Amino acid sequence: QVQLVESGGGSVQAGGSLTLSCTVSGGSFSTHTQCAGWYRQAPGKEHERVATISTPNGATTYVDSVKGRFTISREKAKNIMYLQMKQLKPEDTAMYFCAADGQWCALDYNEMDYRGQGTQVTVSS
């Protein structure tokens, strides 16, 4: 059974950087998914799709609010996906989740085939 585990969250000041990791076990991004991505959920809000990466060809997408600041990538050999976050803002504070799907990265996090437990990112002003 494919499982995703996030790590790398923490507390930083505005303008700081963090890199999140998502490690796959029980399978691989290449053989079990067509798309993987990062989602976040701020207190009292719905999940927001932040960034996605196509597992066959590496094509990426980003929500407008993080373009130019966040970078999604994957390391095929180690079965790890990353989210590099720079110039962090207080509004980036949320629980960040990685997810993957056998077809595509839905806007709705709950529709994804495989979902992690999340890692907290807190940005103070």
Side-chain angles (χ1 to χ4, degrees):
Q1 182 177 358
V2 174
Q3 292 186 324
L4 307 180
V5 178
E6 303 93 337
S7 61
S11 297
V12 296
Q13 290 190 327
S17 301
L18 282 173
T19 297
L20 307 182
S21 300
C22 175
T23 302
V24 180
S25 62
S28 71
F29 282 122
S30 298
T31 59
H32 289 82
T33 74
Q34 291 293 311
C35 184
W38 289 93
Y39 295 71
R40 65 186 179 187
Q41 185 177 31
K45 295 189 176 181
E46 297 292 324
H47 285 93
E48 177 184 40
R49 191 179 69 185
V50 176
T52 69
I53 186 165
S54 166
T55 47
N57 62 27
T60 59
T61 70
Y62 299 91
V63 68
D64 285 347
S65 61
V66 309
K67 284 181 180 177
R69 301 189 297 121
F70 290 13
T71 303
I72 188 171
S73 63
R74 72 190 192 284
E75 194 169 357
K76 282 186 178 180
K78 295 185 178 180
N79 231 3
I80 301 176
M81 179 173 67
Y82 301 99
L83 185 67
Q84 185 179 28
M85 305 184 293
K86 298 180 178 179
Q87 301 170 38
L88 282 161
K89 305 175 181 180
E91 51 264 42
D92 295 318
T93 294
M95 185 73 79
Y96 283 71
F97 301 86
C98 70
D101 195 273
Q103 295 185 342
W104 70 299
C105 285
L107 280 173
D108 186 347
Y109 169 77
N110 293 308
E111 292 183 6
M112 298 294 281
D113 289 337
Y114 312 110
R115 292 166 281 166
Q117 295 299 308
T119 185
Q120 178 68 37
V121 171
T122 303
V123 185
S124 57
S125 56

